[in-house]
Amino acid sequence: MPFRLLVPLGLLCALLPLHHGAPGPGGTAPDPAHYRERVKAMFYHAYDSYLENAFPYDELRPLTCDGHDTWGSFSLTLIDALDTLLILGNVSEFQRVVEVLQDNVDFDIDVNASVFETNIRVVGGLLSAHLLSKKAGVEVEAGWPCSGPLLRMAEEAARKLLPAFQTPTGMPYGTVNLLHGVNPGETPVTCTAGIGTFIVEFATLSSLTGDPVFEDVARVALMRLWESRSDIGLVGNHIDVLTGKWVAQDSGIGAGVDSYFEYLVKGAILLQDKKLMAMFLEYNKAIRNYTRFDDWYLWVQMYKGTVSMPVFQSLEAYWPGLQSLIGDIDNAMRTFLNYYTVWKQFGGLPEFYNIPQGYTVEKREGYPLRPELIESAMYLYRATGDPTLLELGRDAVESIEKISKVECGFATIKDLRDHKLDNRMESFFLAETVKYLYLLFDPTNFIHNNGSTFDAVITPYGECILGAGGYIFNTEAHPIDPAALHCCQRLKEEQWEVEDLMREFYSLKRNRSRFQKKTMSSGPWQPPAGPGTSSSENQDEAREKRPTKQKIPLLSCPSQPFTSKLALLGQVFLDSS
């Protein structure tokens, strides 16, 4: 259907004044060193406020200077901020927080927790901190990175999530009780992202611990979503995990779907998995065919491809960064510049933005200090060096400080039209927003290592190379070193080789003995067959079940009761909207 988007001229006007040390578009590019220090100061203002006013609660309430639990009672902000401390260079505080978490965090609690959020924030945060511990000067135990207290905590947290995957489809419930498992009355409706956002953390966990159950359940969930796509190649927003039927059939790249696509790409890179990348590329074709209009991405009906919501959501701003990971730089930059114009209009990205009207959507005018546009700027700047991307970083620092900074941290912006504030500072502000800003302005950070330096670590399974660069960020910006996935697997591979040799040796010895006792029969000698099948067939079947090395290819969503058309981030849109 023909659909033309009109972008109002007002989009091109930035509303916020530029500060000293922040050159405008006509001047020189923003000074990275200046903004690096500004970002670091932002982090410590928020982090210190959390420690002083909110710890051990999950999050800080910056307007009332106190804390509250949000996603489970894990001291979540501390876990989420841990690897950011190291990226900012604070080794001593990293070491202190590792001890605090070991002493204070308990997962044996009677709490209903979001499976999705617990995975990306808690499991992801602990895995990342575990893998960065040696770089941070923590005295690691023998066998690291294949053992360690933070790894054991991550495994314990992940095991608490496994009951959610015990469904007829293998797709998980959205919520699980950490002590009792899935509640009997739990809704079976889960958003797409809440099903397809596990492979990065769970595959890492399986590789480090040797227990395949985590990667297995993550892969099953991914495959069930893939098999549930429509005839035109799209997935909806929410699905019933018991029946596999789509409940919300709106398809897009934003809230409720976003990190599913992200994890197909990042999982493919992390695991060198051609199947996952092929799945994403097929989705990408359908997304471009049905949801893309003038370098914007809209919401469409998943079976018909007709436009259902001509809106841009702030969560969609991760997409240009994801495009950069597959080398689609030109399209990524065009879409990024569209999103940047919205930032300039309001000094932030409203949750929903009506593209034809060029303005916010009612009751979706807020900006909870999300990182997605900054994340895309960081990726694209690494790929292009375009100074426009630094300008976005400058604008983000200036507007966040001007609008949301309060005495006890940084407050969610409730309404970008009048800059009213809300009493919440989500943990992702320290895990993602500040981290991506800092990395945008810090080109020599160890995260950006090009392989010129690395650490050689001796594990029980041989020598392992770590820290050579190429970190994969989970969707909460917790970096995972892909090399670590190979550190704890060599023993298994060598064990298979030894077992093959031993099996061949004893088979040969046994058959020689038989050969000596019997007269030679006519025809070539064959090893004895097992019951119903040949010995060689048994060996072939065994080899198929073993892990094989992959060849290198060429190359936020809680659950809630759902009764209407579309539910996003716990808020419901009615058909009449």
Side-chain angles (χ1 to χ4, degrees):
M1 62 178 285
F3 187 89
R4 193 69 183 166
L5 301 175
L6 302 176
V7 180
L9 291 176
L11 273 178
L12 302 178
C13 302
L15 299 183
L16 292 174
L18 296 174
H19 289 218
H20 177 69
T28 58
D31 175 20
H34 169 80
Y35 280 99
R36 195 160 57 241
E37 292 307 309
R38 293 271 296 276
V39 173
K40 188 179 288 190
M42 286 171 61
F43 173 85
Y44 285 114
H45 178 64
Y47 180 75
D48 292 343
S49 293
Y50 167 76
L51 289 180
E52 292 169 10
N53 300 288
F55 177 80
Y57 291 102
D58 278 343
E59 290 180 354
L60 169 70
R61 296 202 299 178
L63 300 184
T64 52
C65 297
D66 57 9
H68 65 149
D69 285 331
T70 53
W71 296 111
S73 189
F74 309 121
S75 299
L76 189 58
T77 296
L78 207 56
I79 295 175
D80 249 355
L82 185 49
D83 50 37
T84 309
L85 283 166
L86 183 60
I87 286 171
L88 268 58
N90 194 335
V91 170
S92 60
E93 182 64 4
F94 182 101
Q95 295 172 0
R96 187 189 74 83
V97 172
V98 166
E99 296 293 331
V100 169
L101 292 176
Q102 291 179 60
D103 293 339
N104 290 276
V105 176
D106 180 14
F107 299 114
D108 277 325
I109 50 177
D110 187 5
V111 165
N112 295 324
S114 165
V115 180
F116 170 86
E117 299 289 355
T118 303
N119 176 57
I120 66 170
R121 303 193 196 210
V122 178
V123 178
L126 292 171
L127 281 174
S128 177
H130 164 72
L131 293 175
L132 293 171
S133 290
K134 197 168 190 299
K135 181 177 285 292
V138 174
E139 188 174 344
V140 298
E141 67 185 37
W144 181 91
C146 310
S147 66
L150 294 180
L151 177 60
R152 288 188 286 274
M153 290 176 67
E155 181 180 4
E156 183 186 357
R159 288 200 186 279
K160 295 289 187 179
L161 306 180
L162 289 180
F165 291 83
Q166 295 173 6
T167 65
T169 63
M171 296 187 285
Y173 285 95
T175 304
V176 67
N177 184 280
L178 298 181
L179 203 57
H180 305 296
V182 177
N183 290 324
E186 182 60 43
T187 173
V189 177
T190 307
C191 69
T192 304
I195 293 166
T197 309
F198 293 91
I199 191 66
V200 170
E201 298 86 1
F202 276 29
T204 300
L205 201 51
S206 284
S207 296
L208 295 178
T209 64
D211 189 339
V213 66
F214 302 106
E215 183 174 348
D216 288 347
V217 299
R219 284 188 178 276
V220 168
L222 285 177
M223 287 309 300
R224 293 297 86 82
L225 282 175
W226 173 249
E227 293 163 359
S228 301
R229 70 196 188 282
S230 70
D231 290 340
I232 61 174
L234 297 174
V235 290
N237 196 274
H238 282 71
I239 195 168
D240 188 313
V241 300
L242 299 182
T243 66
K245 301 295 184 183
W246 289 102
V247 178
Q249 298 179 3
D250 296 88
S251 185
I253 61 171
V257 186
D258 47 6
S259 50
Y260 169 46
F261 297 136
E262 180 186 355
Y263 270 40
L264 289 176
V265 173
K266 291 182 175 180
I269 297 170
L270 182 71
L271 303 172
Q272 295 295 292
D273 190 311
K274 289 188 278 189
K275 266 188 181 178
L276 295 181
M277 185 62 77
M279 289 160 65
F280 173 78
L281 293 176
E282 280 299 307
Y283 278 130
N284 196 36
K285 289 178 188 175
I287 288 166
R288 292 177 69 172
N289 286 340
Y290 294 102
T291 75
R292 181 183 175 189
F293 295 88
D294 289 352
D295 298 312
W296 296 91
Y297 293 84
L298 313 182
W299 287 84
V300 302
Q301 210 281 341
M302 67 177 286
Y303 293 104
K304 301 175 183 177
T306 53
V307 174
S308 59
M309 290 193 300
V311 300
F312 157 62
Q313 301 173 352
S314 62
L315 283 168
E316 295 170 13
Y318 79 99
W319 188 256
L322 193 64
Q323 288 177 301
S324 77
L325 289 179
I326 63 169
D328 193 5
I329 302 299
D330 289 342
N331 285 320
M333 281 298 294
R334 285 197 292 270
T335 297
F336 175 87
L337 291 173
N338 278 349
Y339 298 168
Y340 186 17
T341 59
V342 180
W343 183 290
K344 287 183 176 181
Q345 185 180 5
F346 296 101
L349 292 184
E351 292 287 71
F352 278 29
Y353 179 84
N354 187 304
I355 300 168
Q357 295 179 5
Y359 208 62
T360 60
V361 174
E362 187 178 357
K363 297 182 180 179
R364 295 296 183 279
E365 304 93 349
Y367 171 56
L369 310 182
R370 292 198 188 279
E372 283 75 17
L373 189 63
I374 301 162
E375 172 187 359
S376 286
M378 190 274 290
Y379 278 115
L380 284 168
Y381 187 68
R382 298 299 301 169
T384 68
D386 188 327
T388 302
L389 300 155
L390 292 182
E391 292 174 13
L392 177 276
R394 171 204 64 203
D395 291 351
V397 172
E398 301 293 353
S399 58
I400 290 172
E401 284 199 335
K402 180 180 179 63
I403 301 171
S404 72
K405 186 176 182 180
V406 293
E407 183 180 353
C408 292
F410 291 87
T412 287
I413 302 170
K414 187 175 184 178
D415 193 330
L416 279 166
R417 297 170 303 175
D418 57 15
H419 297 170
K420 287 181 180 176
L421 300 179
D422 203 0
N423 192 22
R424 188 173 185 188
M425 186 184 80
E426 294 216 41
S427 69
F428 61 65
F429 178 67
L430 294 179
E432 300 184 78
T433 308
V434 172
K435 182 182 294 162
Y436 285 131
L437 269 174
Y438 191 80
L439 289 173
L440 174 64
F441 291 117
D442 189 16
T444 62
N445 197 278
F446 75 87
I447 288 290
H448 300 315
N449 186 9
N450 61 7
S452 57
T453 61
F454 56 87
D455 295 317
V457 180
I458 303 299
T459 76
Y461 316 121
E463 188 177 55
C464 182
I465 301 300
L466 292 174
Y471 291 87
I472 302 296
F473 285 103
N474 86 335
T475 197
E476 190 78 1
H478 295 305
I480 302 293
D481 188 344
L485 274 65
H486 306 281
C487 288
C488 310
Q489 296 179 343
R490 295 185 187 179
L491 181 63
K492 296 173 194 172
E493 293 170 4
E494 291 169 1
Q495 185 178 338
W496 287 119
E497 293 170 6
V498 170
E499 287 184 3
D500 279 345
L501 291 171
M502 295 296 287
R503 190 176 294 109
E504 290 174 15
F505 173 76
Y506 283 111
S507 175
L508 213 60
K509 187 175 180 181
R510 185 169 56 251
N511 285 292
R512 277 179 182 165
S513 174
R514 291 177 181 175
F515 178 76
Q516 290 168 354
K517 291 179 181 178
K518 297 182 179 181
T519 56
M520 183 180 294
S521 61
S522 59
W525 173 81
Q526 296 287 341
T533 182
S534 70
S535 173
S536 61
E537 287 173 344
N538 283 333
Q539 290 180 8
D540 289 341
E541 288 178 8
R543 286 194 184 95
E544 287 176 2
K545 294 177 182 177
R546 299 171 195 164
T548 56
K549 290 182 180 178
Q550 287 277 4
K551 292 184 179 178
I552 297 177
L554 297 176
L555 296 167
S556 294
C557 183
S559 177
Q560 63 279 321
F562 190 89
T563 55
S564 53
K565 178 183 175 186
L566 182 64
L568 299 174
L569 300 177
Q571 299 181 9
V572 177
F573 279 81
L574 301 174
D575 286 331
S576 60
S577 63

